[in-house]
Amino acid sequence: MENTNALIEKKTDKSRVISLEKGKIPPQAIDLEEAVLGAMMIDKKGIDDVIDILHSDAFYEIKHQEIYAAIYELFQNSQPIDLLTVSSLLKRKGKLDLAGGDFYLIRLTQKVASSAHIEFHARIILQKYIQRKLISISSEIIESSYDETTDVFDLLDSAEAKLFEVTQGNLKKSSEDAGSLVKQALKKIQEIGNKEGMSGLASGFTKLDALTSGWQPSDLIIIAARPGMGKTAFVISMAKNMAIDFNHGVAIFSLEMSSVQLITRMISSETGLPSEKLRKGNLELHDWELLNYKVKSLSDAPIYIDDTPSLSIFDLRAKARRLVSQHGVKIIIIDYLQLMTAGGNNNKGSGNREQEISTISRNLKALAKELEVPVIALSQLSRAVETRSAGSKRPLLSDLRESGAIEQDADIVSFIYRPEYYGMTEWDDDERSPCEGQGEFIVAKHRNGGLDNIRLKFTGHLAKFSDLEEGVGSKFQSSMNSNPLDTGFPDRRIESKEAFGIDDDDNFPF
């Protein structure tokens, strides 16, 4: 009987703790909110210092939210901000009483003498707001976790997405007015003009960058080809260009090849040493000197490789968010789309691969928009290409494998085509020019631009694409350093999980 009573008492104490926990006052800084608002109404400099830090929701008191919203509207319209203009705007909107009335506005201006330390005060207000958001998100997670009908993977994804929003400060807005959007657009146009038309991330391929103005933030780019055309070689060449030449952070999710195999391809491309030599380790002294000199730039490059097999879209989102927030990654590359899984319990047992691919492509587009980075996904093409006659092997949009949703969701759909692979010696154009050592990057769909077939140089023994005008090997040989360096391979950012291996992907030695 005593044990039973003790158990009941213990449960009662636990319920008291929970109720007290829920009864706590949320984090707030009312005095600082009053000081910041008062300073903004008496000193223009105070407005300039905090207008980009705070938003109306950051204030705890509703009346403070209304006052700040009025100040922000006056600022957006380039109108003077003081006690009278704020009071007048609130009166016109019928919110003066909700904001505490004229007497409360006067009291706020009397609380401070200047805008000294206003930025520091504003950041404390923002910290309190973030604390309140974290409490709110945690409460929602707890409530959802007790719901047996909630899918645990959906819950994890939702929780991480909300925390990511708080971390980045990109809290969702219901809408934006045309005025603010026009200002953003004009600012972006001006920035593009300063960058000579390059509004996105340069790929390192001159004609491709001229067509696309660089890979654009929030775009989903599909690069499709039959096996052997060089999909992996193309994105590896591009990733190397972006990371080494432009110092852009690049994340590669390789579902087919190991991270060591991928980085070895990059080493071959960067050093100009044939992949056969690297595969066998048959290097002479001058090869080692070249290798050790050229590999340093690759070792310091902001490239991050994840070779998790059968990666689900849920895992990809989680990993991508961390790479963007922690390492400043600017572009995400997936090799390749058909090896991904939708993940979660909702897709199990459906047996419809086309629906699963549609789910993956939609989520990749959503990920690009959420992180505001371009997402490039490689894709296989159907065997219909192989059944066509010898002179018509060039891929078409209808050849996209397993789902028409890929074409629908993507901002850019492109193909890689090498007629040499099919034994052809000339391009199928009017000039009938030789096609040996060349490939074509075909932009078949471009939501925000033109279409084109861009010819590139392909160096098979280096698994490398480059501009057609670029000479092979000269760049590397002319920059070789005669000073012998350390023969080790520095490994600072590129992580590998498997031992050095061989892969037959795309018919290359690696």
Side-chain angles (χ1 to χ4, degrees):
M1 188 68 179
E2 289 182 5
N3 291 338
T4 304
N5 292 335
L7 186 61
I8 292 170
E9 188 173 347
K10 188 176 181 180
K11 287 182 178 179
T12 305
D13 289 341
K14 187 177 180 180
S15 65
R16 285 175 185 164
V17 171
I18 293 171
S19 63
L20 285 172
E21 197 73 19
K22 287 184 177 180
K24 285 186 177 179
I25 299 173
Q28 54 188 281
I30 303 298
D31 289 344
L32 293 181
E33 290 182 10
E34 293 175 347
V36 166
L37 292 172
M40 293 178 80
M41 286 189 285
I42 65 171
D43 191 346
K44 183 180 182 299
K45 183 179 179 300
I47 299 168
D48 297 332
D49 288 342
V50 304
I51 202 73
D52 291 330
I53 299 173
L54 295 175
H55 47 85
S56 58
D57 289 341
F59 291 86
Y60 181 73
E61 289 276 6
I62 294 177
K63 55 187 175 184
H64 293 167
Q65 294 177 8
E66 296 295 342
I67 295 169
Y68 185 83
I71 293 173
Y72 189 82
E73 183 175 335
L74 291 168
F75 177 83
Q76 289 290 90
N77 295 328
S78 301
Q79 295 178 358
I81 299 170
D82 56 34
L83 174 62
L84 297 177
T85 56
V86 172
S87 173
S88 177
L89 180 58
L90 287 169
K91 195 175 295 181
R92 286 202 309 270
K93 289 180 169 292
K95 294 184 177 180
L96 183 59
D97 291 337
L98 185 61
D102 285 326
F103 177 76
Y104 186 72
L105 293 177
I106 294 169
R107 204 185 82 178
L108 289 178
T109 58
Q110 292 176 341
K111 269 186 168 288
V112 290
S114 72
S115 63
H117 314 302
I118 188 172
E119 184 177 346
F120 182 76
H121 296 159
R123 295 197 182 279
I124 294 175
I125 293 170
L126 187 63
Q127 289 171 17
K128 299 297 182 183
Y129 167 71
I130 292 172
Q131 287 178 276
R132 294 197 299 273
K133 286 294 294 182
L134 290 174
I135 291 170
S136 175
I137 291 169
S138 302
S139 299
E140 290 175 15
I141 294 170
I142 291 169
E143 291 296 329
S144 299
S145 298
Y146 278 111
D147 186 355
E148 295 293 339
T149 63
T150 303
D151 183 271
V152 66
F153 294 105
D154 291 341
L155 177 60
L156 280 170
D157 184 53
S158 173
E160 186 161 31
K162 289 175 181 176
L163 290 172
F164 181 80
E165 288 169 17
V166 174
T167 303
Q168 296 298 101
N170 297 325
L171 297 165
K172 291 181 180 176
K173 299 177 182 178
S174 56
S175 62
E176 290 186 83
D177 62 272
S180 63
L181 291 174
V182 167
K183 289 180 181 178
Q184 292 176 38
L186 292 175
K187 184 178 179 182
K188 186 174 182 180
I189 292 168
Q190 185 179 5
E191 290 173 354
I192 294 169
N194 295 336
K195 294 178 182 178
E196 299 181 350
M198 188 63 63
S199 57
L201 301 178
S203 67
F205 299 108
T206 306
K207 290 184 178 178
L208 179 58
D209 289 335
L211 178 67
T212 62
S213 297
W215 301 127
Q216 302 298 315
S218 77
D219 272 6
L220 172 61
I221 300 106
I222 299 295
I223 301 176
R226 287 294 294 159
M229 288 294 155
K231 298 185 300 296
T232 304
F234 178 82
V235 293
I236 284 176
S237 300
M238 182 178 65
K240 183 180 66 66
N241 294 341
M242 299 179 83
I244 294 178
D245 298 341
F246 304 106
N247 199 35
H248 295 316
V250 180
I252 304 175
F253 292 90
S254 175
L255 286 78
E256 187 172 36
M257 299 176 63
S258 75
S259 50
V260 172
Q261 291 164 355
L262 274 178
I263 202 63
T264 306
R265 280 196 181 187
M266 290 188 186
I267 291 171
S268 175
S269 175
E270 178 68 7
T271 60
L273 293 172
S275 54
E276 182 73 13
K277 275 192 172 185
L278 294 178
R279 182 174 67 84
K280 293 182 177 180
N282 186 21
L283 303 179
E284 299 180 12
L285 180 59
H286 67 276
D287 293 329
W288 279 110
E289 291 176 353
L290 175 63
L291 179 66
N292 291 316
Y293 172 68
K294 296 297 293 185
V295 83
K296 286 183 69 65
S297 60
L298 185 59
S299 178
D300 293 333
I303 300 174
Y304 306 89
I305 301 176
D306 187 300
D307 60 3
T308 305
S310 301
L311 187 69
S312 71
I313 189 66
F314 163 75
D315 290 331
L316 173 70
R317 283 200 302 260
K319 291 170 182 279
R321 286 182 189 125
R322 284 192 288 271
L323 285 167
V324 169
S325 61
Q326 294 176 12
H327 300 291
V329 161
K330 300 295 184 184
I331 188 168
I332 295 167
I333 299 172
I334 300 149
D335 182 13
Y336 59 91
L337 188 148
Q338 279 80 11
L339 290 178
M340 291 187 67
T341 61
N345 295 328
N346 297 335
N347 299 288
K348 291 182 179 179
S350 64
N352 192 330
R353 180 59 178 164
E354 185 173 333
Q355 288 183 2
E356 190 172 15
I357 292 294
S358 298
T359 300
I360 292 169
S361 67
R362 282 196 303 272
N363 278 275
L364 289 178
K365 175 58 183 174
L367 178 68
K369 289 187 69 176
E370 178 188 344
L371 300 183
E372 293 188 351
V373 299
V375 172
I376 296 179
L378 303 190
S379 176
Q380 291 282 21
L381 290 177
S382 68
R383 287 190 175 91
V385 178
E386 311 295 343
T387 62
R388 293 201 286 267
S389 59
S392 58
K393 300 289 189 182
R394 187 176 269 102
L396 305 170
L397 285 171
S398 57
D399 295 323
L400 280 173
R401 187 174 171 184
E402 289 182 310
S403 178
I406 297 176
E407 178 186 347
Q408 178 182 334
D409 296 327
D411 297 278
I412 295 176
V413 178
S414 56
F415 304 108
I416 295 175
Y417 171 59
R418 291 193 302 113
E420 187 180 10
Y421 177 81
Y422 295 109
M424 303 177 194
T425 57
E426 297 177 333
W427 287 102
D428 54 352
D429 55 11
D430 296 335
E431 298 178 3
R432 310 300 294 181
S433 54
C435 64
E436 182 181 358
Q438 295 181 24
E440 201 169 53
F441 190 86
I442 303 168
V443 180
K445 175 192 174 182
H446 192 183
R447 184 167 285 160
N448 301 305
L451 310 179
D452 200 0
N453 296 349
I454 299 166
R455 290 181 185 173
L456 301 170
K457 187 171 188 64
F458 174 69
T459 312
H461 68 284
L462 300 179
K464 175 185 178 183
F465 280 90
S466 57
D467 283 335
L468 193 57
E469 296 77 14
E470 181 181 333
V472 181
S474 60
K475 176 182 175 182
F476 305 108
Q477 298 298 331
S478 63
S479 60
M480 189 179 78
N481 192 336
S482 59
N483 295 330
L485 301 172
D486 179 18
T487 57
F489 287 75
D491 187 11
R492 300 179 188 174
R493 302 188 199 180
I494 301 169
E495 299 181 2
S496 305
K497 302 178 188 174
E498 301 180 17
F500 200 90
I502 303 170
D503 185 75
D504 293 327
D505 174 69
D506 288 354
N507 290 350
F508 297 128
F510 285 125

